[in-house]
Each structure stands twice: as C-alpha cells, then as structure tokens.
Amino acid sequence: QVQLVESGGGLVQPGGSLRLSCAASGISFTSTGMGWYREAPGKQRETVARITSASSFTTYADSVKGRFTISRDNAKNTVHLQMNSLKPEDTAVYYCNSYRQTLPWGQGTQVTVSS
C-alpha cells in the first residue's frame, strides 16, 4: 500500500525557517523522482521543487529559488524541503508526491507564514 506522510509544517513569522519531511512507503523509493507541491487557498496546486531519484538533479519554482532546498535520504525513504526566508505568500498546504504526481496524495502539512 502506497503511503506518503508529510510533517514539519507550522506557524512561522516572515523571515523564519521550517523543514518539511515526507516519509514514503509502498513504492520503489530509490528509483522514484520526488517533488514537493503546495496548494494555497483559492489557488491551483503548484510544483515547488523536484529531485531525481539519485539526487543528481533538482528544480525549483522561480518563487522559491535561493530560499528552499529539496533533499532526500534514500536509506530512510524520506524527502525533505528546507524552507528559509519564508514569506506570507508561501502559506499553503504542502504535499510530496512523485515527479509525475502519480501517487495517492497524503494529508499534507500546513505552513502558515504570518506575523
């Protein structure tokens, strides 16, 4: 059974940092490119960052370049998103999924950036 469990969200002030984690099970994780996606109220889900299976290539949305870093630990079947210099516009529910978003979606983790 495929399962994605996101964690690490919370309330943070502008300029703060958070580190999100996603634990994956039921998939061949080491051969699966992964990504982080977010959905803000009233907006479509967007791709935040993606990483290839061997961490050899990463891509970022223009809005987060230089502030967010995606990484993965294939030994632990986890993917992380380090978010620095957070802005109010980063407020959203964050999800992980495969590169092509073909896995069942998890519950996501809420990130709220507000003073």
Side-chain angles (χ1 to χ4, degrees):
Q1 181 180 355
V2 177
Q3 190 172 24
L4 300 171
V5 179
E6 300 91 348
S7 62
L11 173 64
V12 64
Q13 292 186 340
S17 298
L18 284 173
R19 185 174 188 252
L20 306 184
S21 297
C22 169
S25 58
I27 64 172
S28 179
F29 187 79
T30 56
S31 61
T32 303
M34 296 294 294
W36 281 97
Y37 308 87
R38 67 185 180 186
E39 188 170 331
K43 295 185 179 181
Q44 287 189 330
R45 188 173 293 161
E46 65 170 332
T47 300
V48 176
R50 298 193 296 179
I51 186 168
T52 53
S53 57
S55 304
S56 56
F57 188 67
T58 57
T59 60
Y60 297 91
D62 288 342
S63 59
V64 307
K65 279 181 183 176
R67 300 188 298 122
F68 291 10
T69 303
I70 188 171
S71 62
R72 63 189 294 160
D73 184 342
N74 283 350
K76 297 182 178 179
N77 283 16
T78 56
V79 59
H80 304 284
L81 186 68
Q82 178 66 44
M83 305 188 297
N84 298 329
S85 302
L86 282 161
K87 303 176 180 180
E89 51 263 45
D90 295 318
T91 295
V93 179
Y94 285 72
Y95 302 86
C96 67
N97 208 300
S98 66
Y99 225 77
R100 297 182 180 181
Q101 305 177 53
T102 56
L103 304 175
W105 293 94
Q107 82 289 348
T109 187
Q110 176 71 49
V111 171
T112 303
V113 185
S114 175
S115 56

